[in-house]
Amino acid sequence: MALLSEAFVYLCAAVIAVPIANRLGLGSVLGYLIAGVMIGPVIGIVGAEAADVQHFAEFGVVMMLFLVGLELQPAMLWKMRQQLVGLGGLQVAGTGLAFCGIGFLFDLHWQSALALGMILSLSSTAIVLQTLNEKNWLRTEGGQSSFSVLLTQDIAVIPMLALLPLLAIGGDHSGPGGHGEGAGHGGEALAALPGWAQALVILAVIAAIVVAGRYLMRPVFRFIAEARLREIFTATALLLVIGIALVMDFVGLSPALGTFLAGVVLSDSDYRHELESDIEPFKGLLLGLFFLTVGAGIDFDLLFGAPLTIFGLALGLMAVKFTVLYPLGVLFRLKGPHRWLFALGLAQAGEFAFVLFGFAGGAGVLEPSLIKTMTLVVAISMLLTPALFIFYEKVVAPRALAKADLEPDVIDRKGRVVLAGMGRFGQIVSRLLLTSGYEVIILDHDPQTIENLRKIGIRTFYGDATRPDLLHGAGLDEADLFIAALDDREKQTELVEHVARTYPKVRILARARDRHHVYELENAGAHHAERELFEGALALGRQALAELGFHPFRARTKAREFRHHDIAMLDNLRENFNDGGADASYIDAMRAQSETLFEIMRVDRGGERHERTERGWTPPPKGDATL
Amino acid sequence: MAKVLVLFAHPRPDRSEVNQPLFETAQRVEGVTAVDLYADYPDFSIDIDREQARLTAHDVIVFQHPLYWYSSPAIMKEWQDLVLEHGFAYGHDATALRGKVFLNAITTGAKPEAYSEAGMNHAELRSLLGPFERTADLCGMRYLAPFVLFGAGRALEQDRFGAHRNAYDRLLKALVAERLDLEMAAKATVLTDALQDLVLEREEN
């Protein structure tokens, strides 16, 4: 029961602290840290076992890198290469060197100084991205530049993980391909082999991951997906991540590096969104747990022993980062407030620092006492970040606006569409949008459909669109338009209801079974619902009229009149339906409407000339003397 | 032998008393291609390539339509807007239509007297059809005077339609046989009355 009661304590702390922190605009990372501080140093419920838990929770980092990899489509990286290499690369190198130099001044060993420089050059992806998103700054010039830098940093973590063990001071062993993760395990399997054979095995493993990810995983995922057992798909995803981690560990490489690579390889897969939403909760919880343990491990004696030193270090750290960032902003031609947003927003150290401190400690690169101090410093710099954003929002931005020499942000983004359901209906809609040049994220849960569409060059993502996490993964919170085109009537209504509730800003267009379904979907929050068979049946009816001898233009006019009246009927009956569904009064109203339709179409069919009811290019009356 | 293209526009052929029968006449003349625009394009989605190919393949273009608000029914305007493209019909080196013959074969509700300075419409019919003439000019086509049935609403009752229909038949046949005096036909105000004088007699052989 010890496990359960521990879990209870951790979850309890998280459940209380994280939502509060979020509400206060501090973000979830800080929430976890604070929760850790509460149960650790403050209340003292957890203590010794925190280190073991932390070890377990480090697997969250492995998962995070898998997800980072999934996000990085090679094509997107290529498009951003200038920003990534230039801006991001200079930031990491510049800040790293600056801290490395400062480390020298403090008489650190060169290896330690370099490790410290690398670790502190990173910023907090979690806090910054979340804030930029919340404030709608992500699409601005400053936001985009910040994003590029954060992305570079995320990628830079991989070589850092590989480098850290090599920096071990007075290292006893640690050859190339050294022992990863500071845990000191793994790699034994290859120890007996000569160096070149080790290298060969490692290369073979990496090649195997790339090749398997490219060619083997699609049929495997498809096979699993066809079983239509959601939990088995989740299990497969977990199995994949854990399996790669084990293999990498076996050959003595970093598991994080392996899963990252797998992520990049799979980022082009149809199953990307599904994988993402399957792994995401595990990653979130484990990473949360990891931050909790970091919080629990914070040394309060240290803080209260020398508060001025600690806060001084934190402020100094931020000052150094700002000093590197601001000139970079100038160099890359960021204008006024954008430069400030960029430099202020990225001026903290990030959550990766905790991870890397752990590895560095294990590898013997950094002194435990130094790690304790720096962990505290990093946490405080993160705690101060919301204050920087507030400073930007309240002081910098208004001034820049007052100067009024600001060019408006270029919104180069085309409308984004998420479409759920790629059946006969969704296919037509999506093809129209795709060929009109829109970016459409398409979701469908039938592997066969996905496979067929892939053959004709249309990308579809596998997944059950009624799952909230999948919709989130598909980027619905950034979409302008959501199209619900599921075949299943009930699921369709549920889907529309969920989307309308969760994403109030997105416009919703929905496919409806019939007239009643239109009302149901409208009540569920759809902005427009279209009966799936109406237009098609009308077109066939019009063709039938033409076959029966109607002039084609006349048949079109007839069909139009019918359509017009039928849509009016849809509007007229709405209130009646919403009052009491398809009850007696609804049936009555409907019958009355049908009779009107017959009346209208009959008048039009002939009868007296020049009744006002007959419109549409009728000749003027014979007796008109003015003509 | 000239190839004649009759483009017909009437949105309600089922209610047409004179235009539809005239169109049927045109359909029966050998050497005439008769096209019902509203039937071919009930949704107004005009096939530009097909229409341009039609123009290229013919020597004489006839717009047959009732006069609606001093102009043609809507689809004919859409047809002009889409088919008479720059580089095809007009522009620096557009020669596709150059030298072809163009005329309106129309029906009006009002009597002939209405189309004069003093009449209800305060203008001659041919000047009211100015946009068509200017269009033909710009495309390098030779514009002939309009072939008109005035007072079309009472033509059947007044027994005038049979003669007009025969005249239309004769006009189209003369155009096909290249026996119409184009010089004079271009100068006339309307073709209808003078038709007799404009059609050259078949030379004895």
Side-chain angles (χ1 to χ4, degrees):
Chain A
M1 295 313 279
L3 177 69
L4 281 187
S5 58
E6 268 173 37
F8 182 80
V9 170
Y10 282 107
L11 287 174
C12 221
V15 166
I16 295 170
V18 175
I20 293 177
N22 240 345
R23 192 55 65 81
L24 296 176
L26 301 175
S28 61
V29 174
L30 285 175
Y32 283 117
L33 282 177
I34 293 165
V37 170
M38 295 310 284
I39 57 174
V42 176
I43 308 179
I45 308 176
V46 297
E49 86 282 0
D52 295 334
V53 176
Q54 182 164 13
H55 225 74
F56 171 65
E58 274 171 14
F59 198 67
V61 177
V62 172
M63 289 180 159
M64 171 157 72
L65 283 161
F66 179 66
L67 292 175
V68 168
L70 270 184
E71 288 288 341
L72 297 181
Q73 288 133 292
M76 183 184 88
L77 287 184
W78 184 245
K79 230 196 291 178
M80 293 177 68
R81 62 191 182 276
Q82 253 177 334
Q83 289 263 305
L84 291 181
V85 176
L87 191 56
L90 282 176
Q91 187 275 332
V92 173
T95 318
L97 285 177
F99 282 119
C100 184
I102 293 169
F104 271 130
L105 294 182
F106 278 84
D107 273 342
L108 284 180
H109 213 280
W110 71 267
Q111 285 105 324
S112 301
L114 186 57
L116 200 61
M118 290 194 303
I119 294 172
L120 295 181
S121 70
L122 305 176
S123 310
S124 172
T125 307
I127 296 178
V128 178
L129 266 195
Q130 196 188 348
T131 310
L132 292 177
N133 238 335
E134 273 170 18
K135 306 267 183 198
N136 262 333
W137 291 334
L138 195 56
R139 297 282 160 201
T140 67
E141 217 180 307
Q144 279 295 302
S145 302
S146 305
F147 178 75
S148 306
V149 170
L150 290 170
L151 198 58
T152 315
Q153 294 177 352
D154 285 357
I155 300 170
V157 169
I158 300 298
M160 288 182 192
L161 282 174
L163 263 175
L164 275 178
L166 304 182
L167 294 176
I169 299 164
D172 33 275
H173 46 2
S174 286
H179 294 194
E181 319 314 338
H185 54 73
E188 292 89 352
L190 298 182
L193 295 174
W196 60 269
Q198 281 190 22
L200 220 57
V201 171
I202 289 165
L203 281 180
V205 167
I206 291 176
I209 290 178
V210 173
V211 171
R214 270 273 125 112
Y215 301 103
L216 188 65
M217 286 324 280
R218 192 200 299 281
V220 170
F221 282 136
R222 204 181 136 198
F223 176 74
I224 306 281
E226 267 163 359
R228 296 192 186 282
L229 294 167
R230 188 185 289 175
E231 67 278 10
I232 291 300
F233 198 95
T234 309
T236 315
L238 275 178
L239 184 68
L240 177 75
V241 174
I242 294 175
I244 291 174
L246 283 179
V247 171
M248 295 307 276
D249 205 35
F250 183 73
V251 300
L253 285 184
S254 145
L257 178 65
T259 49
F260 172 78
L261 188 65
V264 174
V265 173
L266 288 172
S267 67
D268 265 342
S269 146
D270 305 335
Y271 296 91
R272 171 179 143 213
H273 288 304
E274 179 74 18
L275 283 172
E276 236 171 56
S277 40
D278 277 342
I279 297 290
E280 180 74 39
F282 293 103
K283 174 220 103 177
L285 270 181
L286 283 178
L287 216 53
L289 191 57
F290 178 77
F291 293 137
L292 268 172
T293 57
V294 170
I298 283 180
D299 193 340
F300 261 48
D301 294 340
L302 196 62
L303 177 61
F304 291 125
L308 286 180
T309 317
I310 299 292
F311 270 95
L313 280 173
L315 289 174
L317 176 141
M318 296 171 87
V320 170
K321 296 197 90 164
F322 180 85
T323 315
V324 175
L325 285 163
Y326 193 85
L328 276 180
V330 178
L331 187 66
F332 279 78
R333 308 232 166 93
L334 285 177
K335 283 180 223 77
H338 294 301
R339 198 187 303 151
W340 282 90
L341 174 63
F342 174 72
L344 286 173
L346 296 174
Q348 75 297 104
E351 57 275 6
F352 270 117
F354 302 133
V355 179
L356 293 173
F357 278 143
F359 293 170
V365 183
L366 293 172
E367 293 284 322
S369 63
L370 180 63
I371 290 181
K372 269 192 174 167
T373 312
M374 289 318 291
T375 302
L376 204 54
V377 168
V378 168
I380 286 168
S381 81
M382 287 167 74
L383 263 171
L384 291 175
T385 302
L388 290 187
F389 277 118
I390 291 168
F391 174 72
Y392 168 78
E393 193 177 15
K394 301 285 180 222
V395 182
V396 180
R399 275 195 194 175
L401 282 178
K403 269 203 279 172
D405 61 346
L406 233 186
E407 285 170 41
D409 286 337
V410 183
I411 299 173
D412 56 352
R413 202 170 67 105
K414 265 194 143 180
R416 258 184 66 150
V417 184
V418 176
L419 184 146
M422 196 54 172
R424 292 160 303 158
F425 195 94
Q427 289 183 21
I428 295 174
V429 179
S430 62
R431 273 165 48 211
L432 178 59
L433 294 174
L434 286 169
T435 50
S436 305
Y438 283 93
E439 185 190 346
V440 185
I441 311 267
I442 306 169
L443 307 171
D444 197 274
H445 68 285
D446 179 23
Q448 191 59 49
T449 307
I450 293 171
E451 194 59 26
N452 292 343
L453 288 169
R454 201 176 58 80
K455 280 182 197 145
I456 58 169
I458 295 181
R459 269 301 288 286
T460 307
F461 291 108
Y462 169 78
D464 182 347
T466 52
R467 279 177 55 182
D469 49 352
L470 190 72
L471 289 173
H472 185 79
L476 198 50
D477 41 355
E478 280 184 21
D480 304 291
L481 190 63
F482 176 67
I483 298 170
L486 301 187
D487 195 37
D488 185 305
R489 183 181 179 132
E490 307 304 323
K491 273 194 172 177
Q492 167 84 344
T493 316
E494 278 170 33
L495 173 63
V496 166
E497 201 164 7
H498 166 75
V499 172
R501 202 171 349 102
T502 320
Y503 307 95
K505 274 188 259 171
V506 73
R507 292 279 299 174
I508 304 173
L509 304 184
R511 159 196 188 178
R513 261 284 134 122
D514 51 28
R515 187 176 294 134
H516 294 175
H517 200 203
V518 170
Y519 302 138
E520 286 162 25
L521 289 167
E522 285 170 353
N523 294 335
H527 296 93
H528 177 76
E530 188 69 43
R531 284 169 286 168
E532 57 186 11
L533 298 179
F534 184 61
E535 296 291 347
L538 205 56
L540 193 80
R542 171 179 156 186
Q543 187 60 35
L545 285 178
E547 299 283 342
L548 290 168
F550 268 67
H551 188 273
F553 190 63
R554 191 81 195 118
R556 165 198 178 262
T557 312
K558 279 281 184 198
R560 266 216 197 172
E561 274 162 13
F562 183 93
R563 180 174 188 278
H564 181 78
H565 182 268
D566 197 89
I567 288 170
M569 181 153 120
L570 184 77
D571 286 336
N572 292 337
L573 291 175
R574 180 176 287 114
E575 214 169 305
N576 213 316
F577 181 87
N578 289 343
D579 276 350
D583 59 1
S585 87
Y586 174 81
I587 305 282
D588 281 348
M590 192 152 143
R591 184 175 311 123
Q593 293 282 335
S594 284
E595 275 161 21
T596 327
L597 176 62
F598 263 106
E599 204 54 42
I600 288 172
M601 299 295 272
R602 181 161 48 231
V603 168
D604 192 59
R605 216 155 57 209
E608 282 302 295
R609 295 189 166 208
H610 294 295
E611 293 188 37
R612 291 289 299 163
T613 46
E614 191 189 14
R615 298 267 177 88
W617 307 289
T618 49
K622 295 264 180 192
D624 191 334
T626 63
L627 296 175
Chain B
M1 295 283 277
K3 293 196 181 99
V4 178
L5 176 65
V6 173
L7 295 173
F8 170 57
H10 195 302
R12 282 298 296 268
D14 60 317
R15 297 290 295 269
S16 162
E17 291 180 351
V18 294
N19 261 293
Q20 178 63 25
L22 286 173
F23 180 61
E24 285 161 16
T25 299
Q27 282 174 312
R28 282 193 290 267
V29 177
E30 208 176 317
V32 169
T33 310
V35 175
D36 179 350
L37 287 179
Y38 275 106
D40 276 15
Y41 307 112
D43 295 305
F44 278 52
S45 46
I46 287 163
D47 181 342
I48 297 171
D49 289 334
R50 179 187 179 203
E51 292 304 315
Q52 289 184 346
R54 269 179 180 158
L55 287 178
T56 314
H58 290 84
D59 311 300
V60 181
I61 318 298
V62 181
F63 275 13
Q64 192 210 315
H65 57 94
L67 193 67
Y68 278 10
W69 294 113
Y70 309 104
S71 184
S72 64
I75 200 167
M76 211 155 236
K77 181 66 166 66
E78 179 77 350
W79 185 96
Q80 294 170 60
D81 296 349
L82 294 181
V83 179
L84 301 181
E85 281 179 319
H86 180 267
F88 171 80
Y90 70 102
H92 181 56
D93 39 74
T95 55
L97 303 181
R98 216 163 276 175
K100 295 187 192 294
V101 172
F102 178 90
L103 74 138
N104 295 87
I106 59 173
T107 62
T108 72
K111 294 172 198 149
E113 308 86 87
Y115 295 98
S116 65
E117 291 294 340
M120 189 185 76
N121 293 313
H122 303 291
E124 298 287 337
L125 179 63
R126 183 157 175 177
S127 69
L128 289 172
L129 291 173
F132 291 102
E133 185 162 356
R134 295 278 73 77
T135 303
D137 262 8
L138 193 64
C139 298
M141 292 194 285
R142 188 166 201 176
Y143 186 80
L144 305 188
F147 179 76
V148 194
L149 175 63
F150 291 104
R154 288 172 294 266
L156 287 182
E157 287 80 351
Q158 295 168 354
D159 237 0
R160 287 186 282 119
F161 184 58
H164 183 79
R165 195 173 177 172
N166 288 338
Y168 192 43
D169 182 64
R170 199 155 176 230
L171 170 68
L172 291 175
K173 281 176 177 160
L175 283 166
V176 171
E178 299 177 58
R179 279 192 289 108
L180 192 72
D181 185 337
L182 297 178
E183 203 82 9
M184 282 176 66
K187 282 187 204 142
T189 44
V190 292
L191 284 186
T192 331
D193 307 328
L195 194 60
Q196 197 63 42
D197 309 326
L198 297 177
V199 178
L200 307 170
E201 286 310 315
R202 190 184 302 271
E203 280 163 30
E204 299 298 328
N205 47 351

